[in-house]
Amino acid sequence: MGAEIDGVDNTTSEEMADWEGTPTQLARVRIETSELKAEAAVPASQTHRLLTTILDTLVVLGAVLGPALTLQVVPAAFPTEVTAGTIAGQLAMLALVARSVHRGKPGPQPSD
């Protein structure tokens, strides 16, 4: 999985299909996996908001999927306290990541 932020863009969304190396007015984020390819372009002034939204989405997915997957793979004979502690540790790490990102947030964001 890779993510990249590119320059700024004047092109329309139709022209953005192949944007490698093109200087632009927009900040662009592209995320690719073997199953998924996602691209987003926003005005450069909104890049922080876009990246924060992406991180928030990943934290929510992690908070739901992490414990669910842990419960799926833990054997029935595994002590309940250890399983609960593992899930609590996962959620605590996600909370720390989200808190550290939001702590560095600049002042009030412009409203659209």
Side-chain angles (χ1 to χ4, degrees):
M1 178 182 212
E4 61 184 65
I5 300 173
D6 246 344
V8 283
D9 188 6
N10 280 343
T11 59
T12 63
S13 58
E14 294 83 27
E15 296 172 318
M16 278 202 260
D18 183 27
W19 51 274
E20 294 291 329
T22 306
T24 65
Q25 296 274 342
L26 297 175
R28 292 185 279 201
V29 175
R30 180 172 49 185
I31 299 172
E32 294 183 38
T33 67
S34 56
E35 300 91 28
L36 171 73
K37 180 178 179 182
E39 235 175 273
V42 296
S45 63
Q46 299 299 314
T47 304
H48 183 270
R49 184 179 282 178
L50 173 66
L51 294 176
T52 300
T53 301
I54 291 170
L55 178 73
D56 290 344
T57 302
L58 292 174
V59 167
V60 169
L61 286 173
V64 172
L65 294 177
L69 292 173
T70 299
L71 291 173
Q72 248 182 357
V73 299
V74 170
F78 207 67
T80 304
E81 297 82 16
V82 176
T83 304
T86 302
I87 291 171
Q90 291 171 340
L91 296 175
M93 289 303 291
L94 284 169
L96 286 173
V97 168
R99 183 177 176 196
S100 69
V101 168
H102 288 286
R103 181 183 303 172
K105 201 179 235 183
Q109 298 292 320
S111 59
D112 295 326

